[in-house]
Structures are given as structure tokens and as C-alpha cells.
């Protein structure tokens, strides 16, 4: 299925990038690079996007299309998609962009192939490989861009219980990764991050960024926290604080997801379902916790214990969000 790319708003909250050992996505990156190399020597043709002749953006359009990824047709428009990647963090398959070549602004694009080199359609040599540091291209390099469909994480293997959830949400730019190619699945999620991720899905809005006395209107998640507050999804504490940097427990996570997605399950379904051994039916978040188990598509919540007071990890939250988002009533 073709993937149509929208403009990406770069968000450092969970900034993304690559899975583990010889994952399918990593293999796809290498296959794409090897496929591109087959066309070395094909002549340059302005407006060309076939093996008879390529211009720079036409070459990228053609190569990625063979891997069911449809890029925009011009370099300027290709520059608007994907997730920004620094030069030192490029991996094979990333897009690379240059400015002020035959015209001002973004005017050339290529495919990074590793070893500080890229392949592109040039007017002088046709499809050719060059160094990012050569005297012509070096000063004109602007940035790299990573296409989420080719994204991997070095610390999330394909047999991780939350693998499907993490990759799916990363492709949708809902929960991303870090600039060192990690997702950090076992790292905690803060209340501020939780609010921002929820709001990235629902896009709640409010006219104010004022919400809690410990959330500055200019702080990173101020708009998200205010929007989520007024939507009634995440509440503060009795002392009027929100504590955006406080880590979220798994029980709090269950309650937040339940409120946000408003999934209603039949009471009988909850009653007959096998409960967690460590969650009593009288526990304040019992129904919310059971909801996570009943809608689980990842196996993350198919366990004997729930560990309600443990901190919620990024993998936990990704699985919960993925399950709720894809639940079919």
C-alpha cells in the first residue's frame, strides 16, 4: 500500500529513529540502496523519472516508489516530508538535501548510502555517487530526512511484545525515538509527555496555555497540558499542581487512556475476563486496567500481574495507545 506523506512537524519529545539486529526495516534500507546503485551511469534528464533518464527528484521518486513509498515529485516538496536527521546520524536510505545549486533554496536531493556518501542524479555525470564532504556538495548540504516507513530502532527487536505498537505509532509520528537511533522502551513516561502524546492524536485545542500553577505558559508541553485538562482527560492534584515531570504509574496510564479514548466495554465482559492477581476489583482503576487487558492486541497486557504502581514505560504506553487507537467497537 502506498504511503502518502504529509508535512512533518519535528517534535523532540520522542524524536525518532532505528530496530534491532537485522530487522526487516534495516534490510529494506539496504535493499533500497542496492537498487539505487543499479542505475549508476543513467544519463541526467530534466523532468525525467524513468530509467531512460532522471533528474534528482525524479530519481528519488522512482527508487522509493519501487518500495511502495510515494514521495512528492520535486526536491522542494520532498524536503517537506520525513523527520529531520543530522549529518552525523544519517543511515542508508535517508534522504539528503542541498541548497543553492542551479537555483536558490532547496534544489537538489539524493539518497544516503553510508560511509558519508550519497547517490543522486547530477547534470554532469547522471546517476553518480559523491561524498557529502566534497568541495561542491559539502557547503550546500542542508539536512537529512528519514522516512518513517524505513525507520528502525536499535533497541527494539522484532520479537519485543510492543514491537508492532512502537513501529506503527512511530510511522504516524505519534511516539518517536531519540537522535541516537534508540527508542528506549524501558524508560519512564512523564505526565507532560503523556499529555502531549494524547493530544498528538486528538488535537484538542484551547485558547489559553494557563492550566496549573506549576506549568509555565511557555513550557514545552503547556499547550498540550491545557488542552488535555479542558478535555477532562488528565487532572491535576489537590494542591493545584500538575507535576509534568513526574513519572506516570501504570494505573494512571490506564486511567488516562480510558478517559481519552472513551471506550465502553460491557460490564459482563469485564466480569468474565480473567483478572490480574494483583488488582482487586475494588481498586480505583480496576475497570481502566481491565480495559487494557481486554483490548490488547500486543500481548503486553496478557500477564498474570499488572503492577499498577510501577512506573509506566515508553513501551507500556505505546502498547496502550496503539490498542486503544485500533480498537474496533
Amino acid at each position: 500500500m502506498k504511503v502518502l506523506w504529509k508535512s512533518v512537524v519535528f517534535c523532540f519529545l520522542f524524536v525518532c529513529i532505528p530496530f534491532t539486529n537485522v530487522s526487516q526495516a534495516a534490510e529494506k534500507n539496504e535493499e533500497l540502496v542496492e537498487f539505487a546503485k543499479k542505475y549508476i551511469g543513467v544519463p541526467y534528464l530534466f523532468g525525467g523519472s524513468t530509467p531512460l533518464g532522471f533528474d534528482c527528484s525524479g530519481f528519488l521518486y522512482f527508487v522509493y516508489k519501487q518500495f511502495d513509498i510515494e514521495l512528492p515529485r520535486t526536491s522542494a516538496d520532498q524536503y517537506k516530508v520525513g523527520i529531520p536527521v543530522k549529518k552525523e546520524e544519517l543511515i542508508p536510505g535517508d534522504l539528503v538535501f542541498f541548497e543553492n545549486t542551479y537555483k536558490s533554496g532547496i534544489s537538489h536531493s539524493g539518497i544516503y548510502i553510508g560511509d558519508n556518501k550519497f547517490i543522486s542524479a547530477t547534470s554532469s555525470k547522471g546517476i553518480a555517487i559523491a561524498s557529502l564532504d566534497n568541495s561542491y556538495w559539502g557547503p550546500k548540504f542542508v539536512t537529512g530526512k528519514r522516512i518513517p516507513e524505513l525507520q528502525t530502532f536499535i533497541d527494539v527487536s522484532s520479537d519485543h511484545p510492543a514491537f508492532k505498537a512502537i513501529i506503527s505509532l512511530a510511522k504516524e509520528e505519534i511516539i518517536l525515538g531519540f537522535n541516537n537511533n534508540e527508542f528506549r522502551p524501558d524508560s519512564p513516561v512523564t505526565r507532560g509527555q503523556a499529555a502531549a502524546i494524547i493530544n498528538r492524536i486528538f488535537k484538542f485545542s484551547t485558547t489559553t496555555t494557563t492550566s496549573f500553577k506549576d506549568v509555565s505558559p511557555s513550557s514545552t508541553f503547556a499547550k498540550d497540558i491545557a488542552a488535555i485538562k479542558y478535555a477532562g482527560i488528565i487532572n491535576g492534584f489537590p494542591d493545584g499542581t500538575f507535576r509534568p515531570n513526574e513519572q506516570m504509574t501504570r494505573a494512571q496510564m490506564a486511567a488516562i487512556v480510558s478517559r481519552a479514548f472513551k471506550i465502553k466495554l460491557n460490564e459482563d465482559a469485564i466480569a468474565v475476563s480473567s483478572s490480574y492477581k494483583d488488582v482487586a476489583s475494588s481498586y480505583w482503576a480496576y475497570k481502566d486496567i481491565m480495559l487494557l487487558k481486554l483490548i490488547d492486541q500486543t500481548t503486553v497486557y496478557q500477564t498474570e500481574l499488572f503492577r499498577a504502581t510501577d512506573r509506566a514505560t515508553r513501551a507500556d504506553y505505546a502498547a496502550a495507545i496503539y490498542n486503544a487507537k485500533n480498537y474496533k467497537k
Side-chain angles (χ1 to χ4, degrees):
M1 186 171 105
K2 293 181 179 179
V3 180
L4 298 176
W5 298 107
K6 299 182 291 185
S7 293
V8 173
V9 177
F10 176 72
C11 198
F12 58 84
L13 190 208
F14 284 163
V15 197
C16 65
I17 316 172
F19 333 154
T20 301
N21 40 8
V22 198
S23 67
Q24 292 179 347
E27 291 176 358
K28 190 172 184 179
N29 288 33
E30 296 296 339
E31 288 175 13
L32 187 147
V33 167
E34 291 306 310
F35 180 81
K37 288 179 179 179
K38 293 179 181 179
Y39 296 92
I40 291 175
V42 170
Y44 180 86
L45 176 64
F46 187 80
S49 59
T50 75
L52 295 177
F54 297 105
D55 62 15
C56 64
S57 59
F59 180 56
L60 270 61
Y61 178 84
F62 172 79
V63 170
Y64 281 85
K65 190 173 183 179
Q66 311 313 306
F67 291 81
D68 296 322
I69 299 172
E70 188 165 320
L71 295 176
R73 180 58 185 82
T74 68
S75 294
D77 285 337
Q78 289 171 353
Y79 175 71
K80 297 175 183 177
V81 306
I83 299 154
V85 181
K86 295 178 182 178
K87 184 178 180 181
E88 62 271 19
E89 294 164 355
L90 289 166
I91 62 172
D94 286 343
L95 308 179
V96 287
F97 294 93
F98 305 84
E99 63 184 356
N100 307 328
T101 54
Y102 74 97
K103 65 177 182 179
S104 61
I106 299 297
S107 54
H108 190 76
S109 53
I111 302 170
Y112 185 72
I113 63 172
D115 296 327
N116 204 40
K117 297 177 182 179
F118 70 102
I119 186 170
S120 68
T122 64
S123 57
S124 59
K125 298 180 180 178
I127 303 301
I129 293 174
S131 169
L132 288 174
D133 290 331
N134 81 15
S135 58
Y136 180 76
W137 296 113
K140 293 177 170 55
F141 176 79
V142 177
T143 190
K145 288 291 188 78
R146 185 157 303 154
I147 301 301
E149 188 67 21
L150 295 174
Q151 184 172 294
T152 61
F153 292 105
I154 62 173
D155 55 352
V156 182
S157 62
S158 58
D159 59 357
H160 190 289
F163 176 83
K164 180 169 64 174
I166 290 169
I167 300 310
S168 176
L169 295 180
K171 288 178 181 178
E172 295 181 66
E173 297 141 26
I174 293 171
I175 299 181
L176 307 176
F178 295 85
N179 285 333
N180 59 354
N181 296 357
E182 295 176 344
F183 183 79
R184 303 178 192 173
D186 298 324
S187 292
V189 178
T190 67
R191 289 168 55 82
Q193 291 171 339
I197 290 168
I198 289 289
N199 206 32
R200 204 172 291 169
I201 297 172
F202 292 100
K203 298 178 172 60
F204 296 117
S205 63
T206 181
T207 56
T208 180
T209 56
T210 302
S211 54
F212 298 94
K213 64 183 184 182
D214 62 338
V215 179
S216 167
S218 61
S219 63
T220 303
F221 307 128
K223 290 183 179 179
D224 295 309
I225 291 170
I228 294 300
K229 175 188 177 182
Y230 289 104
I233 294 172
I234 296 182
N235 300 317
F237 293 89
D239 62 0
T241 62
F242 179 75
R243 305 174 194 174
N245 297 318
E246 187 172 285
Q247 295 175 6
M248 185 171 59
T249 68
R250 286 165 60 88
Q252 291 171 340
M253 171 191 69
I256 289 169
V257 171
S258 178
R259 289 193 207 112
F261 289 88
K262 299 179 180 178
I263 298 173
K264 302 295 183 183
L265 292 179
N266 188 297
E267 293 287 340
D268 292 336
I270 295 177
V272 300
S273 177
S274 176
S275 300
Y276 291 105
K277 291 182 177 180
D278 58 345
V279 182
S281 59
S282 59
Y283 188 65
W284 71 271
Y286 175 75
K287 290 184 179 179
D288 301 322
I289 290 170
M290 289 306 298
L291 171 70
L292 291 188
K293 185 170 189 176
L294 289 169
I295 67 172
D296 184 30
Q297 302 173 44
T298 65
T299 75
V300 169
Y301 298 104
Q302 302 307 312
T303 54
E304 290 187 349
L305 303 178
F306 183 74
R307 299 175 289 107
T309 58
D310 283 5
R311 67 180 189 177
T313 66
R314 285 165 54 81
D316 291 336
Y317 198 45
I321 293 292
Y322 173 83
N323 290 331
K325 186 173 179 294
N326 291 283
Y327 174 70
K328 296 181 180 179
K329 301 178 182 179

